[in-house]
């Protein structure tokens, strides 16, 4: 004990100190000034209120007994309770096992050079209520069996409870601690059996560290102020909280609130909190493991909310909150593992990029009626996201910036009905290689920018005119069905959607659309789609090859409908047969010179003659008629044309049989 040079004797005490000794023997409160409380019962307006630290030491430690009765017998000390005292010298209780509770209420400990020392001390109960500690408090490794009630204390120097072991609660409610540039409070590696209260007007200036603290119940910060601009104002990294953390209405921070790696079994509440850390991270929960996160109505964060690699057993809720980090990440939940749902709805506002790269959400991800602002960049970036339920961006949700979900796996629905998405310079919505097991409801109210659907897969797609009029990248996209079906949305409209693909022609979107029509019983619509695909494919080349392709396209389309209308070849064959028969008959009537009969030839019948010449696998014997002059030219043309038409007819019907139509 270093607070006094020697042990005091009863006859060396002042009147005030003698009264304190008497009160301590009954556990009554000693009060400075006028008082009728306790056994003193005197009225002394000018009564001395100074109590030497040595007196407090001897009373709580038992060294140098002062508690003597009138006969000189030692009396037990039940409690040392001071109200309104001034302790001007250094109070040093290092290593002391306090034999009774100590209570300092509305006291002033004015020694500036060194803190009040409870280092390595132990006490059954310690109450330092509404008192001023000019030199701070050092209670490193303090052990208290009950509560530590230090509510409304004031200290511009550090209050140190590092590695303290508290059986009950720790209350710093309404305390005013610290100053800029110092550590205001330390509860590092402390163990608290009850709750920790730093609320209801609590104020910390400087760095407040609760790193590694272990709290058996909850922590309450609502209504507290934590000020350390440009640095960490509240550190709860690696903390273990069995209950919840309450940082609700009235919570204000200037600097970073850091809970990285913390474990919280209950809920982390920031509803109504105001966090300011412009240009930095306002709230850091990276790597934390918590039961639930609520940053809902009234939550305002100026700075990044860091949720990278967080594990949340239940829900993450930002409904009605605001996060502002223009040009940077607003909420960063890369690699987050959320067992329940994640809500960014109902007026939630994000200025900056909301990121969910490789995040896993067990139930629903909902952005309904949220606002996401990051002009010219990604408003939401969620590559390789996994959602166990549905993903919604509906009911007036707005994005000034791109929405990216490439490679995402969504077990439920994907809906953007009633949403407004605008993106300058980037694809408005990216769903490339995304897998949506349920339905996709694509009914945006306004959509500015391309939509990348390449390689995506959906169940049923329902879309509106706004979506269909957009530029859609569709190569490799698969789906089970399209709604509305014909005739509500015509084949021509669907083909127009494919034709507007900025990347140009690809066969797969046409074959997918045709398959969908065929599966739904729209066989003719399917044929129209495939014919259009072939028509466009054959017109892709340029130069002389393009000219030949166009000629062939016209012929192939006219004769067989690009292989999907084989009856056209039959009609062409009949037309050639009729035209050839008429022409041959006219020539033969004009002169027998044009067709000469040779031995063994049957009687001349124009229709049979033409049919025999046109069809390569038919022989009626008319090949023994020899054509001359114009007849020879006519028959040569008919033979060539017949061979071509017949071949096309066979090819077309073979294709039909192969497709099973």
């Amino acid at each position: 004990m270093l607070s006094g040079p020697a042990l005091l004797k009863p006859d060396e005490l002042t009147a005030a100190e003698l009264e304190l000794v008497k009160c301590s023997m009954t556990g009554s409160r000693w009060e400075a000034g006028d008082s009728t409380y306790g056994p003193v019962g005197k009225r002394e307006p000018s009564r001395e209120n100074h109590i030497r630290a040595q007196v407090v030491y001897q009373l709580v430690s038992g060294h140098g007994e002062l508690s003597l009765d009138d006969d000189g017998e030692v009396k037990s000390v039940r409690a040392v309770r001071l109200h309104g005292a001034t302790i001007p010298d250094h109070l040093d209780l290092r290593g002391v096992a306090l034999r009774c509770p100590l209570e300092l209420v509305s006291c002033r400990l004015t020694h500036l050079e060194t803190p009040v020392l409870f280092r390595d001390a132990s006490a059954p109960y310690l109450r330092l209520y509404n008192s001023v500690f000019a030199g701070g408090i050092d209670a490193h490794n303090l052990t208290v069996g009950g509560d530590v009630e230090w509510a409304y204390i004031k200290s511009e120097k550090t209050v140190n409870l590092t590695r303290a072991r508290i059986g009950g609660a720790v209350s710093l409610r309404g305390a005013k601690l610290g100053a800029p540039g110092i550590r205001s409070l330390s509860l590092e590696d402390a163990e608290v059996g009850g709750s920790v209260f730093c609320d209801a007007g609590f104020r910390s200036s400087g760095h407040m560290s609760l790193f590694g603290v272990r709290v058996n119940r909850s922590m309450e910060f609502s209504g507290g102020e934590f000020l350390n601009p440009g640095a960490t104002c509240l550190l709860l990294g690696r903390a273990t909280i069995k209950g919840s953390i309450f940082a609700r209405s009235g919570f204000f921070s200037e600097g970073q609130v850091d809970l990285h790696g913390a474990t919280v079994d209950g809920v982390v509440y920031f509803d109504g909190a105001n966090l300011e850390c412009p240009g930095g991270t306002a709230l850091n929960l990276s790597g934390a493991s918590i039961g639930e996160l609520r940053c809902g109505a009234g939550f305002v964060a100026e700075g990044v909310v860091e949720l990278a690699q967080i594990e949340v057993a239940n829900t993450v809720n930002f409904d009605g909150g605001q996060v502002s980090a223009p040009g940077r990440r607003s909420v960063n939940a890369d690699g987050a593992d959320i067992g329940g749902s994640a809500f960014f709805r109902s007026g939630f506002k994000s200025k900056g990029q909301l990121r969910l790269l490789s995040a896993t959400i067990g139930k629903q991800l909902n952005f309904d009626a949220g606002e996401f602002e990051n002009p010219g960049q990604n408003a939401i970036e969620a590559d390789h996201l996994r959602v166990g339920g549905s993903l919604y961006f509906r009911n007036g949700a707005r994005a000034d910036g791109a929405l990216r979900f490439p490679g995402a796996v969504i077990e439920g629905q994907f809906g953007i009905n009633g949403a407004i998405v605008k993106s300058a310079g980037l694809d408005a919505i990216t769903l490339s290689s995304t897998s949506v097991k349920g339905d996709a409801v694509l009914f945006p109210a306004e959509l500015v920018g391309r939509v990348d659907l390449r390689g995506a897969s959906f169940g049923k797609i329902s879309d509106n005119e706004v979506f269909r009029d957009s530029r859609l990248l569709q190569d490799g996209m698969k789906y089970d069905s399209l709604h509305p079906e014909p005739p509500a949305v015509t084949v021509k409209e669907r083909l127009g959607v494919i034709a507007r693909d900025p990347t140009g022609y690809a066969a797969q979107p046409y074959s997918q659309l045709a398959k969908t029509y065929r599966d739904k019983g729209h066989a003719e619509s399917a044929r129209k789609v495939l014919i259009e695909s072939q028509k466009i494919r054959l017109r892709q080349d340029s130069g002389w090859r393009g000219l030949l392709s166009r000629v062939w396209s016209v012929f192939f389309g006219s004769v067989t409908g690009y292989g999907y209308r084989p009856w056209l070849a039959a009609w062409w064959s009949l037309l050639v047969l009729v035209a050839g028969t008429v022409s041959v008959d006219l020539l033969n009537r004009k002169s027998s010179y044009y067709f000469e009969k040779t031995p063994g030839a049957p009687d001349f019948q124009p229709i049979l003659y033409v049919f025999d010449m046109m069809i390569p696998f038919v022989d009626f014997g008319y090949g023994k008629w020899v054509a001359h002059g114009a007849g020879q030219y006519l028959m040569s043309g008919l033979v060539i044309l017949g061979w071509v038409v017949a071949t096309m007819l066979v090819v077309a019907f073979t294709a039909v049989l192969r497709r099973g139509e």
Side-chain angles (χ1 to χ4, degrees), residues 133-367:
F133 297 85
I137 303 173
D138 184 358
H140 184 102
N141 208 33
L142 170 69
T143 300
V144 177
D147 295 339
V148 170
E149 187 180 356
W150 295 4
Y152 302 101
I153 67 171
K154 298 178 180 65
S155 176
E156 293 185 357
K157 295 190 177 181
T158 301
V159 173
N160 181 14
L161 280 160
T162 300
R163 295 185 180 176
R165 294 178 296 281
I166 313 298
V170 173
S171 176
L172 289 155
R173 179 168 287 160
K176 302 291 188 292
L177 305 180
I182 71 165
R183 178 168 292 190
S184 60
L185 171 68
S186 175
L187 262 171
E188 291 185 356
D189 297 317
E191 296 182 10
V192 181
S195 296
V196 174
F197 298 93
C198 298
D199 59 335
F202 176 88
R203 179 176 178 139
S204 165
S205 296
H207 179 68
M208 176 172 164
S209 179
L210 290 82
F211 185 89
V213 68
R214 294 174 293 283
V215 179
N216 200 46
R217 298 187 69 183
S218 296
M219 302 195 76
E220 177 65 78
F221 299 104
S222 301
E225 291 188 8
F226 305 83
L227 311 175
N228 198 22
T232 299
C233 60
L234 174 58
L235 175 62
L236 273 160
R238 305 294 179 187
T240 301
I241 316 298
K242 296 297 183 181
S244 298
I245 292 179
F246 297 89
R248 308 181 87 167
S249 297
F251 178 95
F252 176 78
S253 64
E254 190 172 357
Q256 181 181 134
V257 177
D258 188 350
L259 289 88
H260 77 274
T263 300
V264 184
D265 292 350
V267 183
V268 176
Y269 291 97
F270 279 95
D271 306 77
N274 188 348
L275 288 71
E276 293 187 5
C277 191
T281 299
L283 175 60
N284 183 8
L285 276 159
S286 60
S289 177
I290 67 177
E292 189 169 331
L293 176 63
R294 292 186 175 272
C295 299
F299 173 77
V300 177
E302 186 175 349
V304 177
V305 174
E306 184 65 63
L307 305 178
Q309 307 299 323
I310 192 173
E311 294 182 7
V312 183
N314 296 305
T315 301
V316 169
N317 193 326
F318 278 80
D319 287 353
Q322 299 181 34
V323 182
S324 179
R328 300 182 298 125
R329 301 171 188 174
S330 57
V331 178
N332 178 32
D334 290 356
D337 188 351
I338 300 169
S341 298
F343 297 120
F344 300 89
R345 309 172 299 184
S346 306
F348 171 77
K349 295 181 180 179
S350 165
K351 291 186 178 181
Q353 181 186 111
L354 192 155
R355 283 177 47 123
L356 289 156
L357 269 62
S358 300
T360 299
I361 298 172
K363 294 182 179 178
Q364 183 184 127
L365 175 58
N366 198 315
F367 301 103

Side-chain angles (χ1 to χ4, degrees), residues 578-603:
V578 172
T581 299
V582 172
S583 300
V584 167
D585 187 49
L586 289 175
L587 282 177
N588 188 52
R589 290 175 184 273
K590 185 175 183 180
S591 172
S592 60
Y593 163 74
Y594 295 110
F595 300 100
E596 178 186 354
K597 184 177 182 181
T598 62
D603 292 339

Side-chain angles (χ1 to χ4, degrees), residues 42 75 173 195 253 277 287 301 420 428 444 490 512 528 570 585 606 651:
K42 297 180 181 179
K75 302 288 289 186
R173 179 168 287 160
S195 296
S253 64
C277 191
I420 297 173
T490 65
Q512 173 63 55
K528 289 179 180 179
D585 187 49
V651 169

Side-chain angles (χ1 to χ4, degrees), residues 345-405:
R345 309 172 299 184
S346 306
F348 171 77
K349 295 181 180 179
S350 165
K351 291 186 178 181
Q353 181 186 111
L354 192 155
R355 283 177 47 123
L356 289 156
L357 269 62
S358 300
T360 299
I361 298 172
K363 294 182 179 178
Q364 183 184 127
L365 175 58
N366 198 315
F367 301 103
D368 288 355
E371 296 183 19
F372 305 85
E373 182 180 324
N374 200 23
Q377 300 182 59
N378 297 321
I380 298 176
E381 187 168 358
D383 302 33
H384 307 293
L385 170 73
R386 298 187 67 89
V387 181
S390 298
L391 191 158
Y392 295 124
F393 194 90
R394 310 171 301 180
N395 303 333
R398 303 172 62 93
D400 186 0
L403 304 182
R404 282 185 54 86
F405 304 101

Side-chain angles (χ1 to χ4, degrees), residues 612-617 636-649:
D612 196 358
M613 294 298 101
M614 283 180 55
I615 307 302
F617 45 82
S636 296
L638 288 172
V639 168
I640 294 172
L641 190 57
W643 273 76
V644 171
V645 172
T647 302
M648 298 294 285
L649 183 63

